[in-house]
Amino acid sequence: MGRTVRVKSFELAARDINDVDVKLLHALSIAVGWPHRPKDWDFLRRAGQGIVAVDGIGRVFGSAMWFPHGREFATVGLVITSPRTQAQGTGRWLMKQVFERCGERNLSLNSTDAAYHLYLSLGFRKEAVVYQWQGEVMSPVPPVPVLDGELTSLAAQNVEEIAALDERAFGTSRQRLLALLSEGASICVLRRGGEISGYSMQREFGRGHVIGPIVASNDRDAIHLTAVHLKDLVGRFARVDTREQTGPFADFLQQSRLGMIDTVTTMSKGRRFLNRKENESWVYGLAGHALS
């Protein structure tokens, strides 16, 4: 696949995402209504790799990022084409660039409705729907079930304590990403019988705060690990992305008066990404659409 593409009357070239001013990336996400702040872009560039589509005078018309977890797997995200170049083949060209750079890795992404058929045509398959809940956190937070265990905070320097649990839930090690996420996050762990059986993070993102990842083995634990952060965010904007459509956890989010404002579709290329097992650790809340 060529490193340049012609769109209408001008040519776009692939450039490393770290070589452009973050203000240009911010302007690109604003143009499509995405909430990423410049500091969110800076974090994502630290966490992963990416390219941008630029014209001859350095204007940015598209982006795509990938976040490798070892040599066999990566998540893909921030695939954006500016309104001016949408439906001109730029998105397909960007994804071909990603494929070239990711090699034989298995891939997963969360697709908007607008991009869904593009990803199908590129060999991705649907696995699940992600429900985006967000809004201003109201007081009081809904009642929660009786807690089985103990909730405690975890310092960022001890984030390796949750790495094995997260790997079982996510399906592959993402220890480096967890370390980066922990730098600016509030981390809560659920301890039961002396062992960590669940955890959650809360950090600034976009319009306010995102609660995620949330890792637990059942809805009751996931509710506690979410509620502990909601109580600290009363009066502020919060967001939770989950694949739970029904059940106690989904009901809790609705009772928390967060609004379900959008959905995206989890898709994979290569081996299947999601592999939920009953009573085992599961990602109840995503770290982010790009990070999954």
Side-chain angles (χ1 to χ4, degrees):
M1 186 69 182
R3 296 299 176 94
T4 63
V5 64
R6 178 159 292 279
V7 179
K8 294 184 177 179
S9 60
F10 55 95
E11 191 171 65
L12 300 178
R15 181 182 297 178
D16 191 288
I17 200 166
N18 291 300
D19 293 340
V20 300
D21 192 315
V22 70
K23 293 178 182 177
L24 299 177
L25 301 174
H26 185 222
L28 180 66
S29 54
I30 286 176
V32 294
W34 290 13
H36 300 70
R37 306 164 300 169
K39 63 174 62 177
D40 298 324
W41 276 104
D42 281 337
F43 170 81
L44 290 162
R45 292 198 292 185
R46 290 177 62 204
Q49 303 171 44
I51 56 169
V52 289
V54 299
D55 68 1
I57 58 175
R59 293 179 298 181
V60 174
F61 287 88
S63 67
M65 294 196 70
W66 58 98
F67 302 85
H69 301 292
R71 296 182 177 181
E72 295 185 357
F73 179 72
T75 60
V76 177
L78 283 301
V79 182
I80 305 174
T81 55
S82 71
R84 184 175 175 183
T85 60
Q86 287 175 358
Q88 301 295 320
T90 309
R92 181 177 296 274
W93 175 76
L94 285 165
M95 286 301 299
K96 293 291 187 180
Q97 302 296 314
V98 172
F99 293 161
E100 180 180 324
R101 290 160 175 80
C102 285
E104 298 301 313
R105 282 187 174 92
N106 300 292
L107 303 175
S108 178
L109 53 76
N110 290 301
S111 173
T112 62
D113 288 344
Y116 180 72
H117 290 289
L118 168 63
Y119 295 134
L120 280 179
S121 72
L122 290 170
F124 285 86
R125 58 178 176 173
K126 177 181 177 179
E127 289 202 27
V129 174
V130 177
Y131 303 88
Q132 181 179 327
W133 295 83
Q134 66 180 43
E136 183 176 312
V137 180
M138 307 294 287
S139 179
V141 173
V144 296
V146 175
L147 176 63
D148 177 17
E150 179 187 14
L151 294 173
T152 61
S153 61
L154 185 74
Q157 61 265 30
N158 296 325
V159 72
E160 72 278 357
E161 294 183 21
I162 61 174
L165 174 68
D166 184 80
E167 182 174 350
R168 291 196 299 271
F170 187 71
T172 191
S173 175
R174 51 176 179 173
Q175 193 163 353
R176 178 178 176 273
L177 175 61
L178 293 179
L180 290 172
L181 289 169
S182 71
E183 291 177 3
S186 170
I187 310 172
C188 179
V189 296
L190 174 61
R191 299 181 187 270
R192 184 179 294 127
E195 301 289 334
I196 294 177
S197 57
Y199 84 88
S200 58
M201 290 189 185
Q202 175 262 113
R203 71 187 193 281
E204 289 188 3
F205 170 79
R207 295 174 57 187
H209 295 76
V210 62
I211 302 175
I214 305 165
V215 169
S217 58
N218 57 66
D219 284 41
R220 179 185 60 192
D221 290 353
I223 289 170
H224 280 287
L225 288 163
T226 304
V228 70
H229 295 298
L230 289 177
K231 292 173 182 176
D232 291 337
L233 294 174
V234 171
R236 290 185 281 179
F237 187 89
R239 170 174 169 175
V240 179
D241 295 302
T242 183
R243 297 187 181 96
E244 306 304 300
Q245 181 180 12
T246 60
F249 183 70
D251 292 344
F252 171 77
L253 294 177
Q254 185 174 22
Q255 293 161 10
S256 297
R257 287 170 286 183
L258 301 179
M260 204 286 287
I261 60 97
D262 201 4
T263 62
V264 293
T265 303
T266 299
M267 307 182 75
S268 60
K269 182 178 174 68
R271 71 164 172 82
R272 183 176 176 84
F273 170 49
L274 301 176
N275 185 28
R276 188 173 194 172
K277 297 178 181 178
E278 189 174 358
N279 298 322
E280 293 191 10
S281 300
W282 174 249
V283 178
Y284 274 83
L286 279 62
H289 286 178
L291 305 172
S292 206

